[in-house]
Amino acid sequence: MVGLVWGFVAMLAVAAWFAYDLPDIETATALERRPSVTLLDASGRFLSSYGDIYGMPVRIAELPPYLPQAVVAIEDRRFYDHIGLDLLGLGRAAAVNLASGGIRQGGSTITQQLAKNLFLTPERSASRKIKEALLALWLERRFSKDEILELYLNRVYFGAGAYGVDAAARRYFGKPASEVTLWEAATLAGLLRAPSRLAPTRSPTAAAERAGLVLAAMAEVGFIAPEAAREARRSEIAVTPAGPGDARYFIDWVLEQVEGYVGFVDRDLLVRTTMDSRLQRLAMSEVNGAFAEAGSGGPTQAALVAMTPDGAVRAMVGGRSYGGSQFNRATQALRQPGSAFKLFVYLAALEQGMTPSERFEDAPIRIGTWAPENYNG
């Protein structure tokens, strides 16, 4: 009994020591991030985004039930039963890690993950784990289970620059989180283990395999019927493409001009560009076809710009491959226009009333005593 008492006192002393320098826990709902710039094409289709992308804050009641259920099933099955720390999960993870001789499983609950994301750094240390546990206990006393899950879903990172379930749903599926299907919900929940590696835009096969595990976990817990899991797998769909063809040259060109229009970017921006996605794909296809036709002895680079009469750039190709060279030969290469300038000369002649059947000697204009020396007319 004396040992137990002194052990309890020692635990209180350790908790007090680490609680002394805990971060300001009253900032749980504060949101700090870099402003984002999201680019759309002329029809409003997503092109690219830069910065930290957050969607609209969502409430549990606004989501299809299977979306939060998918997260709970794969991340923390006893979420609604524990006090912020899952002792059974910690014991299971410790046993697995001891048996394997390394770290194979973690016992962190959703509340602990939220505490780490809100207040702490990703460092792996005993000090950080103790602080994480203390903060998890505080969160459980301060918020209800649904409020904790809402905070988690609105803050956790889903890969591809998307923070929060709504931003991830829009990033990967082109729809708000309230409209995702069961398969899409399983895909989003599966990302939480390794967002960068399992992002469907980067590794669709790995993302699909992980989504299958999420569906199996949901069926095992009883959130969905096994038949529903199998039906969801049959309804697997591809993610929304990140952009039309290789539009990176155009995207870089637009981003260079954003600050000149709006000044210092200190807020989220949604920029609708003049790019036509269909024409961009055609432009890339034509350039690639020209290289294939020319073979190894042909040109090594190319550039293409398609514009409308009002000056709107509808498609742009700045080189053979953006991955091979980011130099934009359409906007950065200062070369003579050559015969491409004839278009403007002929247009000026037509506007002056000349017709294609008329002949006109393109004689040089003498300026004072100067005259071009390469004209023999």
Side-chain angles (χ1 to χ4, degrees), residues 44 228 273:
T273 69

Side-chain angles (χ1 to χ4, degrees), residues 319-332:
R320 185 168 192 168
S321 168
Y322 184 88
S325 171
Q326 289 77 53
F327 181 74
N328 191 336
R329 291 153 188 84
T331 62
Q332 297 175 305

Side-chain angles (χ1 to χ4, degrees), residues 5 12 56 61 91 109 113 182 186 209 211 222 236 246 248 262 273 291 299 310 327 336 341 345:
V5 171
L12 289 178
M56 296 295 293
T109 64
Q113 294 179 48
L182 176 56
E209 291 176 353
E236 176 185 349
D246 190 353
R248 292 294 303 277
V262 300
T273 69
F291 279 122
D310 61 357
F327 181 74
Q336 294 291 339
F341 199 79
V345 175

Side-chain angles (χ1 to χ4, degrees), residues 234-283:
R234 286 194 292 268
S235 66
E236 176 185 349
I237 60 172
V239 300
T240 301
D246 190 353
R248 292 294 303 277
Y249 290 109
F250 177 83
I251 290 169
D252 288 353
W253 177 65
V254 171
L255 288 174
E256 290 173 0
Q257 303 176 67
V258 167
E259 190 169 324
Y261 281 99
V262 300
F264 177 71
V265 179
D266 59 353
R267 61 193 185 281
D268 289 349
L269 295 179
L270 188 65
V271 180
R272 190 159 184 163
T273 69
T274 57
M275 169 170 286
D276 185 310
S277 300
R278 183 183 65 85
L279 292 181
Q280 177 66 24
R281 287 191 291 268
L282 288 175

